[in-house]
Amino acid sequence: MAQEQNILDEVVQSDYKYGFTTDIEQELLPKGLDESVIRFISAKKNEPEWLLEWRLKAFEQWKRMVEPTWPNVKYPRVDFQDIIYWAAPKKKEGPASLDEVDPELLATFEKLGIPLEEQKVLAGVAVDVVLDSVSVKTTFQDKLAELGIIFCPISEAVANHPELVRQYIGSVVPTNDNFYAALNSAVFSDGSFVYIPKGVRCPIELSTYFRINARNTGQFERTLIIADEGSYVSYLEGCTAPQRDENQLHAAVVELVAHRDAEIKYSTVQNWFPGDANGKGGIYNFVTKRGVCEGRNSKISWTQVETGSAITWKYPSVVLKGDNSMGEFYSVAVTNNHQQADTGTKMIHIGKNTRSRIVSKGISAGVSQNSYRGLVKILKVAQGARNYSQCDSLLIGDACGAHTFPYLEVANETATVEHEATTSKIGEDMLFYCNQRGIDTEAAVALIVNGYAREVLNQLPMEFAVEAQKLLAISLEGSVG
Amino acid sequence: MSSLLEIKNLHASIEDREILKGVDLVVHAGEVHAIMGPNGSGKSTLASVLAGKEDYTVTEGSILLNGKDLMELSPEDRSHEGLFLAFQYPVEIPGVSTANFLKTAVNEHRAYRGDEPLDPGAFLALMKEKMKLVEMDPSFLQRSLNEGFSGGEKKRNEIFQMAMLEPTLAVLDETDSGLDIDALRIVAGGVNALRTPNNATVVITHYQRLLDYIVPDVVHVLWNGRIVRSGDKSLALELEKRGYDWIKNETAVEA
Amino acid sequence: MSTLPLATNIQDAFDALATAMYGTSAEPFHSARKAAMDGFNERGIPTTRHEEWKYTNVMPIAAKTWRHVQNVWSDGTITDHVHPVPGLQNAIGIVLRNGIIHLTGSTIPDGVEIMPLSSASVEDVNESDLHDNPFAVAAMALSSEGVLVRVADNVQCPHTIHVMVCGETDDDGILLTTRVFVSAGRNAQVDVIETHHTLGGADLLSLGVCSAVVHEGARMSYVKIIDDASALHHIGQLTARVERSGTFASHSINLNAGFVRNDAQIKLAGELSQGFLYGTSILDGVQYVDNHTVVDHMVPHCHSEELYKGVYNGASAGVFNGKIFVRPQAQKTTAYQSSHSLLLSGKAQVNAKPQLEIWADDVKCSHGATTGQLNEDAVFYLQARGLERSKAVAMLTNAFAAEVLEKLPHGELKNHLLQRLADKLGAAGL
């Protein structure tokens, strides 16, 4: 249909909303990676010896590993020696208040619409902002401290709570887990650390905004969240990135540990630069996210709305160790133009009566490729385990692809595993019905897509859900088939 | 009295098959017209062409709504100009609540007129008021549009949407099909309540039954892509009694 | 890595074959065999690191020594052979007994040809379909003789064609390879059944490749029944190409064997063609069945349906790997796939990978996979109607497993298999 083609073209031309760069004085290390770089990073952060050793071990492991080639994505090889592994905004002496923070930086946040202080205070959200590699400003720490909650940059946690970091770091994602996890372990710059003590319900949503800013800077965030017995925390992660020509690598590691009766809810809205209409540029997003339900009745829930990045390679997983523990994965992944996503989850059932639920909604448009890859593994000892998976694909236009690769491995006869998948398009009858009610095709697509994704969007905290809905509409503006 | 809808010598085809072969129709403000005819006569095609469905190609003729040439307008702008089509088969849209759908539609209409969007409170109040017309339960607002609705609920929802959008010309395509007598009464009651001296209704139907409730000023018989006979409501009763064959025969003789 | 005995056996067998073929190497199929041998060497014996063999470890088979037997065509018909499969008394038999190929059973009707592959012309044989299973490629390399079945245009073959592979030996493990082509001409119809048997006490490794072509408007069914003994090891690949308005159905029925790997692939190459893939596995002991399927929707307006069911008792294990491809031009495709497994024992295991790859937008595709137990609500319902729990479970399990067999086109054979199913489940206490 000619009209739809026009709208499609329009979208292809719509520029990345958050594409700009900030000019801040930066401290850069030359490109490339060897042991001295790791020693430099570790020294720069005044790390204890054990952490340096840990990094070096990871580096040794990484050198022996090869990049995974099994995901259903194609991209030019990454030259790991052509990446800067350390970039930090130059620190002035003790920026105690916002006034002392580089005004350029504040302007950047302004442009992004990130309400750093007052707005966040009003909204009741504490923010740990990461610009490139070093945390700049943390709010609400005092209030959280009263409850015994630790929410700080991981580098700070290394200094102030070394016993906790040492106990848990790498306990969920070992340094040699995979190629990118090993790389992250060797060179991680900063990230968030959260500890919720026994019986404490974190009263606010913890949130962090990541940005990728420095040219050619690989980002290696490391997040560690520990929910002690009977505690609860909801953590939000949202991303925007400035427009760049070169591909940028992002290889984060997120580790979650939920003890007995604890619950962790981890929500992500990801809107990194997806590359331009010709597939030039864009972020490579190779992330390892995993949680372990360590104790009885614990619960970990991943919710993600993925609209950005040129390449996404991401499988937030849950290891269900504790009896009666529960894992959830709710995902909306949108690919448009030349984007490629290979994302899904792994649910590893070990404990008795463990349950998992997977709801994945893929949306492909343009010439993009969208793959769901998921593993449900029921071990022999996992008596009474149950899984339910629903994987839907929506295709918009006839030049994209939707792929589903579920792996269902069942070794216990009392388990119940159910998997369903469907593929559909936005029907012309649906669009005409909306048109007849006065809703133009572009708005109709946004409406229909948000309806399609509603089950996942409902899982997000209210503030995020609104943002996510807008993102879906922006990412797909008018691409109709 | 100025004409609200003026169709002249309308020819339309789908995949090179001509369905409408020269339809002429004039509807004035304040009137109710019924278009009757046997299956396959082109009734639903006429409704779809009015609303601008792309599957059909208009090869000849014109349609004016309030003096505006509809052929120039997209389906959504025809809606904005006051045309409403109550679908024979309303579409289900999973995950999109009726309330959200209507909010989008109403605000698009307002934007077209240059009005600000309605604030949520006023919008909710408006919906609750209009729902009463068709005796719909407010719980429907939260449910996905038409999904899992019964036939009668879908048709009531169509009239509810009509009430929200306040069209100048409403075209009801076989709105009575599949309705039991109670639902029919409710739907017709809603349509009648929405009548004003400034708007008009075109009722497309196969059976006379609906016309007991929505009394037409003019009845047309569409056969083989043309309006072959027009009359007052007694024509509908005659059709009910005698079927369509006599019209076909007489038309054949005339031709 | 030292070469595995099976790989050595295959290379040696090919060398022996090449020597025996000396002087006739111009024979059109020999160059294809050479290419296949190269293909096998390239692929090698797959390990579980290979995605298509992720769950299936062939090392116990590859570590054994197998004696390959060459195929020869015998014009003398055999009379003393009794069809071991009920319901197939009137079939046209093609028996490959220790490599010796005989025809038996009903007279071949007009319009149906069954001939040695060596006397077929290259045009008869469509080698364009790539068989990617390394064992299938080995079978192509080693089959010194094969069978071509051709049903002429507009001919409805009145008898089922029964391909029977028998290995008879008391000493070593024996390796048999079979190569079968079946072609149904325009608007023709033919039903084929393939069975594998061990006679004597030794192990049989039976590698088979079947290529089927269903021409415009033709109908073909291909039923593979594996119901023998734990001495039977079978790896086979079936590839069917279906032209416009043609219909192809495959059944993979596994009731008794030591090890089975079945690859069934349908290419829907003509518009309005249809493909059906069915599978039933009722296993116990240490039986192992791996079903891999592919449906490739190459053109618009095609339809495919797939239903695989398995009941696993003892320490048996099953794999279901089903792929549906919908190519960019294949609009208006409808493709449905489901696989369901019941685990009856704590030692049984099932791995499933139902996979959709869709490049066209105006399609209806779905897959569903379940693994678990019977629906407790259904059991309770029957109990509430007065059935003992064990009876209720038996009835539901039978119904679960019988659903796929019910789709078989052969009446008497179907009844026989349903009885076998009931016996097997009965033996399991159901």
Side-chain angles (χ1 to χ4, degrees):
Chain A
M1 289 156 81
Q3 177 204 359
E4 289 165 9
Q5 189 54 49
N6 290 343
I7 298 167
L8 193 68
D9 291 342
E10 218 171 88
V11 172
V12 171
Q13 286 154 15
S14 74
D15 286 331
Y16 180 67
K17 202 177 146 196
Y18 300 133
F20 54 86
T21 64
T22 323
D23 218 359
I24 303 174
E25 286 179 84
Q26 286 194 328
E27 195 176 2
L28 295 177
L29 206 62
K31 285 177 181 175
L33 182 58
D34 59 22
E35 211 182 291
S36 71
V37 170
I38 292 162
R39 288 184 184 280
F40 176 87
I41 293 171
S42 191
K44 204 76 193 158
K45 301 166 81 64
N46 295 317
E47 284 179 356
E49 186 63 22
W50 66 263
L51 191 52
L52 174 63
E53 292 302 321
W54 190 81
R55 284 176 181 274
L56 291 172
K57 190 184 96 198
F59 180 60
E60 285 307 312
Q61 289 165 332
W62 178 73
K63 282 196 290 189
R64 290 193 299 272
M65 296 168 99
V66 290
E67 270 183 271
T69 52
W70 47 262
N72 191 25
V73 296
K74 292 185 183 71
Y75 57 95
R77 288 298 245 206
V78 175
D79 182 351
F80 292 93
Q81 294 304 333
D82 195 38
I83 292 171
I84 296 166
Y85 287 87
W86 174 261
K90 270 190 182 164
K91 243 190 213 163
K92 290 170 189 163
E93 286 296 308
S97 75
L98 264 188
D99 305 337
E100 292 176 37
V101 174
D102 194 328
E104 274 280 339
L105 183 59
L106 292 178
T108 304
F109 292 134
E110 195 83 5
K111 269 191 264 183
L112 278 167
I114 300 172
L116 184 63
E117 280 277 294
E118 280 75 15
Q119 296 99 321
K120 281 292 169 187
V121 174
L122 289 172
V125 180
V127 186
D128 174 25
V129 180
V130 176
L131 180 98
D132 283 349
S133 311
V134 170
S135 297
V136 179
K137 178 74 189 172
T138 305
T139 53
F140 273 111
Q141 250 163 343
D142 294 345
K143 260 184 205 165
L144 295 175
E146 280 171 30
L147 291 163
I149 293 172
I150 306 168
F151 175 40
C152 64
I154 200 163
S155 51
E156 228 175 277
V158 168
N160 301 336
H161 311 278
E163 71 298 335
L164 276 176
V165 178
R166 195 170 183 176
Q167 183 184 346
Y168 289 105
I169 195 167
S171 71
V172 183
V173 179
T175 51
N176 62 350
D177 187 79
N178 66 69
F179 183 83
Y180 297 108
L183 180 63
N184 176 288
S185 302
V187 301
F188 76 90
S189 40
D190 215 331
S192 296
F193 177 83
V194 177
Y195 173 80
I196 314 289
K198 281 184 190 172
V200 171
R201 209 182 150 83
C202 184
I204 51 170
E205 315 270 2
L206 300 181
S207 102
T208 206
Y209 283 82
F210 294 93
R211 298 209 47 219
I212 296 178
N213 199 302
R215 193 169 284 264
N216 280 340
T217 302
Q219 284 280 296
F220 304 96
E221 311 293 346
R222 184 119 198 157
T223 299
L224 178 54
I225 301 177
I226 300 139
D228 216 327
E229 288 182 15
S231 67
Y232 167 85
V233 62
S234 169
Y235 187 88
L236 319 181
E237 171 201 353
C239 313
T240 55
Q243 186 160 355
R244 290 290 187 192
D245 276 344
E246 294 94 328
N247 288 308
Q248 289 180 303
L249 175 69
H250 187 97
V253 171
V254 176
E255 296 179 282
L256 312 181
V257 181
H259 287 287
R260 189 175 172 146
D261 299 318
E263 178 177 350
I264 302 174
K265 204 169 148 60
Y266 194 105
S267 311
T268 306
V269 171
Q270 188 263 111
N271 182 30
W272 286 334
F273 181 49
D276 67 15
N278 301 315
K280 192 167 187 287
I283 303 295
Y284 290 0
N285 188 17
F286 303 136
V287 182
T288 307
K289 289 185 167 176
R290 192 178 305 151
V292 57
C293 281
E294 192 70 56
R296 286 177 66 88
N297 304 322
S298 54
K299 178 177 175 184
I300 289 177
S301 181
W302 298 101
T303 303
Q304 61 176 28
V305 176
E306 302 276 326
T307 59
S309 294
I311 313 273
T312 299
W313 178 97
K314 180 181 175 188
Y315 315 92
S317 306
V318 183
V319 180
L320 297 150
K321 266 195 200 164
D323 293 349
N324 304 324
S325 61
M326 181 163 187
E328 291 179 333
F329 175 73
Y330 294 93
S331 170
V332 177
V334 179
T335 53
N336 199 354
N337 294 321
H338 288 262
Q339 281 177 278
Q340 304 173 68
D342 193 305
T343 184
T345 184
K346 292 188 221 174
M347 294 290 173
I348 314 292
H349 291 256
I350 301 171
K352 293 187 176 60
N353 301 315
T354 45
R355 284 162 298 154
S356 64
R357 181 179 173 84
I358 298 169
V359 177
S360 165
K361 304 273 183 179
I363 301 166
S364 337
V367 291
S368 67
Q369 299 295 328
N370 200 327
S371 301
Y372 167 82
R373 188 182 302 277
L375 168 67
V376 174
K377 191 181 180 81
I378 314 284
L379 271 68
K380 209 166 216 36
V381 291
Q383 202 72 6
R386 298 181 78 88
N387 158 267
Y388 173 77
S389 308
Q390 171 78 44
C391 301
D392 296 328
S393 305
L394 189 69
L395 292 128
I396 301 176
D398 56 7
C400 53
H403 316 270
T404 338
F405 305 95
Y407 295 73
L408 313 171
E409 305 181 6
V410 183
N412 184 299
E413 85 284 9
T414 62
T416 304
V417 173
E418 288 178 75
H419 173 94
E420 286 177 47
T422 63
T423 300
S424 57
K425 65 175 288 193
I426 296 180
E428 278 164 31
D429 54 344
M430 267 190 209
L431 290 174
F432 180 66
Y433 189 83
C434 293
N435 289 161
Q436 209 300 307
R437 295 298 181 258
I439 302 169
D440 67 30
T441 301
E442 197 165 296
V445 169
L447 196 67
I448 293 165
V449 164
N450 273 304
Y452 166 79
R454 188 161 81 166
E455 197 179 346
V456 175
L457 298 177
N458 280 348
Q459 296 297 320
L460 290 170
M462 183 63 112
E463 192 198 29
F464 248 28
V466 173
E467 195 176 319
Q469 277 193 24
K470 285 186 190 147
L471 259 184
L472 285 189
I474 291 169
S475 321
L476 286 167
E477 258 167 9
S479 43
V480 187
Chain B
M1 197 163 50
S2 67
S3 62
L4 202 154
L5 175 71
E6 199 174 327
I7 302 176
K8 271 191 192 150
N9 190 31
L10 184 67
H11 290 252
S13 51
I14 184 165
E15 287 166 359
D16 295 331
R17 202 156 45 88
E18 188 167 60
I19 311 284
L20 300 183
K21 301 170 178 172
V23 172
D24 293 288
L25 179 68
V26 176
V27 178
H28 297 98
E31 290 180 346
V32 174
H33 287 232
I35 295 178
M36 304 184 71
N39 288 330
S41 59
K43 300 191 303 290
S44 284
T45 299
L46 179 61
S48 295
V49 169
L50 281 174
K53 194 159 199 210
E54 284 194 19
D55 303 0
Y56 297 93
T57 314
V58 173
T59 51
E60 214 183 321
S62 65
I63 308 171
L64 298 181
L65 180 67
N66 278 324
K68 267 208 173 135
D69 183 0
L70 283 192
M71 295 335 253
E72 303 284 312
L73 300 179
S74 64
E76 56 268 32
D77 281 347
R78 294 179 196 212
S79 172
H80 298 148
E81 287 292 337
L83 177 76
F84 181 91
L85 172 62
F87 284 66
Q88 185 178 0
Y89 304 108
V91 173
E92 302 180 357
I93 306 185
V96 176
S97 69
T98 303
N100 188 20
F101 178 75
L102 268 174
K103 190 183 76 189
T104 311
V106 166
N107 285 335
E108 293 276 333
H109 275 254
R110 294 179 66 87
Y112 187 77
R113 296 195 298 264
D115 293 339
E116 289 294 308
L118 273 183
D119 75 77
F123 183 72
L124 191 64
L126 184 66
M127 283 200 296
K128 285 195 169 155
E129 179 204 324
K130 301 289 188 186
M131 288 188 95
K132 287 186 192 142
L133 271 182
V134 285
E135 300 175 27
M136 264 171 88
D137 190 277
S139 67
F140 276 88
L141 294 175
Q142 298 311 314
R143 288 172 55 184
S144 290
L145 186 71
N146 292 326
E147 200 182 37
F149 285 26
S150 72
E153 285 164 352
K154 282 181 181 171
K155 295 299 170 76
R156 273 149 69 183
N157 192 12
E158 292 293 286
I159 305 305
F160 166 52
Q161 293 181 38
M162 175 176 151
M164 290 296 293
L165 295 173
E166 298 179 327
T168 47
L169 178 72
V171 179
L172 313 184
D173 187 7
E174 305 274 3
T175 294
D176 51 332
S177 66
L179 293 190
D180 63 32
I181 201 73
D182 285 337
L184 190 70
R185 185 184 50 74
I186 292 168
V187 163
V191 173
N192 288 328
L194 293 169
R195 286 183 66 175
T196 72
N198 301 318
N199 65 20
T201 310
V202 174
V203 180
I204 291 173
T205 183
H206 185 79
Y207 300 105
Q208 187 270 339
R209 191 174 67 144
L210 178 64
L211 305 181
D212 286 342
Y213 298 91
I214 304 174
V215 180
D217 299 300
V218 190
V219 174
H220 308 275
V221 178
L222 188 70
W223 184 65
N224 198 19
R226 262 195 292 261
I227 289 179
V228 294
R229 187 165 298 240
S230 300
D232 63 14
K233 67 183 174 190
S234 64
L235 177 58
L237 293 167
E238 195 174 356
L239 286 168
E240 179 77 359
K241 214 183 300 167
R242 297 175 63 187
Y244 287 103
D245 284 349
W246 64 276
I247 298 245
K248 291 182 195 173
N249 294 336
E250 285 187 16
T251 311
V253 170
E254 284 161 22
Chain C
M1 192 176 80
S2 65
T3 312
L4 290 157
L6 176 60
T8 310
N9 298 154
I10 289 171
Q11 183 65 56
D12 290 350
F14 180 79
D15 292 344
L17 181 61
T19 309
M21 296 298 289
Y22 190 76
T24 55
S25 58
E27 190 255 323
F29 301 111
H30 197 59
S31 57
R33 275 196 290 269
K34 271 188 206 153
M37 191 59 216
D38 291 343
F40 173 77
N41 282 330
E42 205 177 287
R43 290 170 176 82
I45 306 274
T47 69
T48 52
R49 296 176 64 90
H50 191 299
E51 185 64 28
E52 296 303 313
W53 298 84
K54 183 177 164 71
Y55 298 117
T56 298
N57 182 9
V58 293
M59 286 309 137
I61 293 171
K64 283 184 64 162
T65 296
W66 302 90
R67 181 171 58 86
H68 180 246
V69 182
Q70 288 186 18
N71 294 340
V72 289
W73 189 275
S74 163
D75 282 330
T77 54
I78 48 167
T79 51
D80 61 336
H81 190 80
V82 179
H83 286 293
V85 183
L88 295 179
Q89 292 81 357
N90 295 321
I92 299 164
I94 303 169
V95 182
L96 295 93
R97 191 169 186 166
N98 280 9
I100 300 167
I101 305 172
H102 300 273
L103 299 187
T104 178
S106 291
T107 314
I108 296 167
D110 286 349
V112 178
E113 291 173 277
I114 300 178
M115 62 169 85
L117 211 51
S118 52
S119 53
S121 71
V122 181
E123 297 82 67
D124 288 326
V125 178
N126 175 13
E127 285 284 12
S128 65
D129 289 334
L130 181 72
H131 293 269
D132 44 13
N133 182 320
F135 297 98
V137 176
M140 290 165 81
L142 298 189
S143 292
S144 49
E145 185 57 282
V147 181
L148 171 66
V149 177
R150 190 162 50 193
V151 180
D153 291 355
N154 304 311
V155 170
Q156 322 285 303
C157 184
H159 304 300
T160 300
I161 293 173
H162 182 190
V163 178
M164 212 179 317
V165 180
C166 310
E168 184 170 11
T169 176
D170 288 320
D171 43 22
D172 290 337
I174 188 168
L175 168 61
L176 295 184
T177 56
T178 40
R179 184 85 178 101
V180 176
F181 285 87
V182 187
S183 161
R186 295 166 64 120
N187 302 314
Q189 188 186 338
V190 61
D191 296 316
V192 184
I193 290 181
E194 180 185 320
T195 59
H196 297 254
H197 309 273
T198 54
L199 305 167
D203 282 357
L204 167 64
L205 174 57
S206 163
L207 308 181
V209 184
C210 175
S211 305
V213 181
V214 181
H215 289 282
E216 188 172 336
R219 304 172 66 83
M220 188 191 296
S221 74
Y222 200 101
V223 181
K224 189 188 278 192
I225 302 167
I226 305 287
D227 187 7
D228 188 66
S230 61
L232 174 65
H233 304 75
H234 171 66
I235 303 175
Q237 184 160 33
L238 164 68
T239 302
R241 183 182 172 87
V242 190
E243 300 296 346
R244 188 181 172 87
S245 301
T247 300
F248 178 82
S250 154
H251 286 256
S252 165
I253 298 160
N254 301 287
L255 299 172
N256 191 7
F259 175 95
V260 176
R261 163 67 180 252
N262 261 325
D263 290 7
Q265 307 189 335
I266 299 183
K267 290 172 189 296
L268 296 173
E271 292 194 9
L272 301 169
S273 59
Q274 300 188 86
F276 299 89
L277 284 165
Y278 298 118
T280 305
S281 296
I282 312 295
L283 306 182
D284 51 30
V286 292
Q287 293 165 1
Y288 189 95
V289 173
D290 175 352
N291 277 304
H292 268 57
T293 67
V294 175
V295 181
D296 187 355
H297 283 264
M298 302 164 77
V299 294
H301 296 286
C302 295
H303 172 77
S304 68
E305 261 178 66
E306 186 165 3
L307 176 62
Y308 273 70
K309 284 195 165 184
V311 178
Y312 302 89
N313 205 352
S316 65
V319 174
F320 172 78
N321 180 313
K323 294 189 187 79
I324 296 175
F325 296 109
V326 179
R327 300 204 194 182
Q329 64 275 23
Q331 298 292 0
K332 304 286 177 194
T333 288
T334 51
Y336 305 105
Q337 178 198 74
S338 55
S339 83
H340 303 288
S341 303
L342 278 185
L343 292 177
L344 300 181
S345 138
K347 288 180 187 155
Q349 192 168 336
V350 168
N351 294 309
K353 189 185 172 199
Q355 181 176 334
L356 292 178
E357 298 218 43
I358 318 279
W359 285 275
D361 64 331
D362 191 7
V363 300
K364 289 203 176 79
C365 299
S366 69
H367 68 201
T370 58
T371 302
Q373 297 94 57
L374 290 170
N375 180 348
E376 271 303 320
D377 293 342
V379 176
F380 179 74
Y381 184 82
L382 293 190
Q383 284 180 286
R385 291 291 175 271
L387 271 78
E388 270 175 50
R389 185 177 166 83
S390 61
K391 281 234 173 69
V393 168
M395 182 182 273
L396 290 169
T397 307
N398 262 282
F400 170 86
E403 185 190 352
V404 192
L405 292 179
E406 293 289 353
K407 295 181 185 295
L408 278 171
H410 318 264
E412 199 181 339
L413 177 66
K414 183 198 323 188
N415 291 337
H416 160 70
L417 291 169
L418 287 170
Q419 188 55 50
R420 281 286 295 135
L421 165 81
D423 292 347
K424 275 204 88 167
L425 294 176
L430 290 170

